[in-house]
Amino acid sequence: MAQVPEGGGGGGGRHEKKRAKKGSTHIDMTPMVDLAFLLLTFFILTTTMYKPSTLQMTYPVPPDPNDPKPPPTELSNAVTLLLTKKDQIFYYFGEFHTADDGSGKPPTVLARTDFSQVQKLLVERNKQTVMELNALAKEFNDRKITEQEYKAKRSAIKGTPSNMKAIIKTDEDAKYRNMIDMVDEMDISGIGSYGVLDSLKAGERMLLEVEKQKL
Amino acid sequence: MPKLKMPKSSPSLDMTPMVDLAFLLVTFFMLTAQFRPEEAVAVDTPSSMSESAIPTTNMMTIVVDSTGKVFWDMTDKGIRDAVLVELGQRVGFTPTAEDKVKFANVGPVGVPLQQLQALLALESGAERKEFVKQFNGIPTDSLNNQLRDWISTTRNIYWNASDPHGNPVVALKADGNTNYKRVAEVIRIFQSPGIQISKFKMITDLESSRM
């Protein structure tokens, strides 16, 4: 029933014998190369360089209720940034004043900006520090100072009391991304001391609600 | 006119160097590739300019996804085992060796403690993903704050270890589109009495250029 081809086998056998005598070691490498390149292509295409980085955050330790209250922070050179919906930022400089708080100062008005503009605004406002930091970075790049010195001097410049401060406040519509972007901007514009809060003062909230209506 | 003569030799060329190179590259990619573990939760982290690299061991990650669900993750297998045993006790669940192996590989965990056993009974990643969807992550409400339990248990295991390796690195991995309010709630849990973590890392993507 089933037939085993014989004639071909015999002929082939004679052929193989002949070949073995000649001893040709050439093998066809094409399939192997095909396979190698297939694998190579697969790995190259599926490899993604996934490189997450981290942002070190240090939050203040909540104060002990028994401790005396620390003196209020000097806010005259501070900017308060209110982050809200649609990636919008409202900000004011200095302390918050309302028309009838008895300080005699003009009431605070919120100005509006967004993430494409805020960097320019902060760098402009903090020009002196940014210039100093850039000069320092240049010195470091020219290998005039060591990395250690660079870091120490950098934080010294940023920590100067007269340097600009920032308070970042978010309302319930702000996204986490907004806050990270803002913290990034702090680094770019050389603001060393900043705080992140997720609550607004009543007065700020009132002003912000008015502004949000216009968005 | 002279006839143009084609060379008679066969057009085959020596492919050995090319094959060598191809296999070298294949080997390199195969050995260096790490298959990304099945993501139990999709998180699109925001980008930042920070360049400090992420540690690969001793890191506890609290994941917040875009809907505000909270997950717990830990890099080290041994610690994961210990945490599972410790937290399992509270809900009367004694994990088997098989459960432990599964738990080591599930990645971020985001179910109430009472559901841990049911989660580990499931076989495939897809099933687990479907199962996790029913819940709101690890409960964080003030009456039933299980996130606190996860964090404090993890830290206690570090502190009570026979060779103390100090503290785990705490990382917060939140989706860029999460409301900051939700992230702030998690940070408040970090800072609450009994936990008091005020230094932690926020996981971000490295931003290529924005200057």
Side-chain angles (χ1 to χ4, degrees):
Chain A
M1 299 265 262
Q3 284 183 346
V4 181
E6 277 175 12
R14 210 179 62 207
H15 193 71
E16 264 168 31
K17 232 181 231 169
K18 205 173 154 193
R19 216 188 238 177
K21 258 181 197 168
K22 268 197 173 176
S24 162
T25 51
H26 258 287
I27 40 164
D28 189 5
M29 283 200 286
T30 324
M32 189 173 74
V33 177
D34 284 355
L35 187 74
F37 274 101
L38 182 79
L39 284 174
L40 184 59
T41 324
F42 170 75
F43 277 101
I44 288 183
L45 292 184
T46 55
T47 306
T48 47
M49 291 295 158
Y50 175 60
K51 199 181 166 196
S53 55
T54 61
L55 193 63
Q56 180 72 50
M57 295 294 286
T58 307
Y59 275 66
V61 177
D64 193 326
N66 301 325
D67 284 352
K69 275 197 170 181
T73 319
E74 176 61 45
L75 288 180
S76 56
N77 59 348
V79 57
T80 305
L81 299 141
L82 311 176
L83 310 184
T84 183
K85 64 180 175 186
K86 292 184 181 165
D87 299 340
Q88 295 296 307
I89 306 167
F90 293 93
Y91 64 93
Y92 64 87
F93 292 103
E95 308 229 13
F96 188 84
H97 293 293
T98 50
D100 51 359
D101 65 352
S103 64
K105 304 248 172 64
T108 299
V109 182
L110 295 182
R112 175 176 160 190
T113 182
D114 61 20
F115 282 93
S116 57
Q117 303 291 321
V118 70
Q119 186 176 331
K120 210 174 131 200
L121 176 93
L122 293 175
V123 168
E124 183 68 23
R125 187 87 184 185
N126 207 16
K127 218 186 287 172
Q128 186 64 35
T129 309
V130 172
M131 265 161 53
E132 279 175 43
L133 286 175
N134 284 346
L136 190 69
K138 193 168 177 302
E139 256 179 72
F140 175 59
N141 286 338
D142 295 346
R143 306 277 165 89
K144 282 182 191 152
I145 49 173
T146 64
E147 185 168 354
Q148 231 172 1
E149 281 175 322
Y150 172 64
K151 280 188 177 158
K153 282 189 180 172
R154 200 179 145 80
S155 50
I157 294 177
K158 279 178 149 190
T160 315
S162 60
N163 190 7
M164 195 160 132
K165 299 185 188 73
I167 303 170
I168 303 168
K169 295 188 178 181
T170 57
D171 78 347
E172 57 281 354
D173 294 322
K175 303 269 186 262
Y176 174 63
R177 179 167 24 93
N178 300 146
M179 176 267 184
I180 292 283
D181 284 348
M182 208 62 237
V183 170
D184 250 6
E185 298 294 352
M186 296 294 109
D187 195 43
I188 295 168
S189 48
I191 298 176
S193 49
Y194 57 87
V196 184
L197 295 170
D198 67 322
S199 57
L200 303 171
K201 281 187 215 164
E204 289 168 341
R205 176 164 291 281
M206 261 170 55
L207 287 180
L208 188 62
E209 287 303 326
V210 174
E211 294 291 341
K212 272 167 80 174
Q213 297 295 320
K214 298 180 198 162
L215 286 178
Chain B
M1 254 181 100
K3 262 188 196 168
L4 191 70
K5 270 186 191 168
M6 293 296 288
K8 271 189 183 169
S9 64
S10 79
S12 79
L13 57 144
D14 188 8
M15 284 199 286
T16 324
M18 187 175 76
V19 176
D20 285 355
L21 187 74
F23 271 104
L24 182 78
L25 286 174
V26 169
T27 322
F28 170 75
F29 278 102
M30 280 175 77
L31 292 184
T32 57
Q34 282 185 331
F35 282 94
R36 208 192 289 183
E38 168 107 31
E39 292 276 323
V41 48
V43 170
D44 179 17
T45 52
S47 52
S48 87
M49 311 268 296
S50 173
E51 282 174 19
S52 49
I54 191 168
T56 49
T57 54
N58 291 335
M59 183 172 72
M60 172 171 68
T61 312
I62 303 300
V63 185
V64 185
D65 79 352
S66 56
T67 54
K69 289 183 185 178
V70 178
F71 297 75
W72 169 95
D73 198 2
M74 179 76 220
T75 48
D76 298 60
K77 189 179 170 297
I79 307 285
R80 289 184 77 106
D81 276 1
V83 170
L84 178 65
V85 171
E86 177 79 28
L87 287 176
Q89 271 178 7
R90 304 195 185 182
V91 287
F93 161 47
T94 316
T96 61
E98 202 188 328
D99 286 333
K100 284 182 187 171
V101 171
K102 260 192 211 165
F103 189 72
N105 296 319
V106 289
V109 185
V111 291
L113 284 181
Q114 294 78 5
Q115 304 297 335
L116 263 181
Q117 188 166 15
L119 177 77
L120 294 178
L122 296 172
E123 285 302 327
S124 74
E127 276 178 311
R128 282 194 289 265
K129 216 169 174 176
E130 206 49 43
F131 181 73
V132 167
K133 273 188 192 158
Q134 305 167 37
F135 306 102
N136 268 328
I138 296 174
T140 57
D141 36 306
S142 49
L143 285 177
N144 179 23
N145 196 334
Q146 292 184 359
L147 181 62
R148 281 184 61 105
D149 297 343
W150 280 98
I151 297 175
S152 55
T153 308
T154 312
R155 296 222 305 174
N156 282 341
I157 285 164
Y158 267 87
W159 288 338
N160 300 337
S162 51
D163 59 319
H165 8 224
N167 272 319
V169 176
V170 181
L172 178 68
K173 182 179 179 183
D175 193 292
N177 288 321
T178 321
N179 263 351
Y180 181 67
K181 197 129 197 132
R182 179 65 179 146
V183 180
E185 275 170 29
V186 174
I187 293 174
R188 259 195 290 278
I189 294 174
F190 281 4
Q191 293 189 290
S192 59
I195 296 185
Q196 283 186 349
I197 297 169
S198 37
K199 274 189 177 180
F200 53 89
K201 291 174 184 297
M202 286 179 166
I203 298 183
T204 54
D205 274 341
L206 186 58
E207 190 157 331
S208 41
S209 64
R210 204 183 57 190
M211 289 291 278

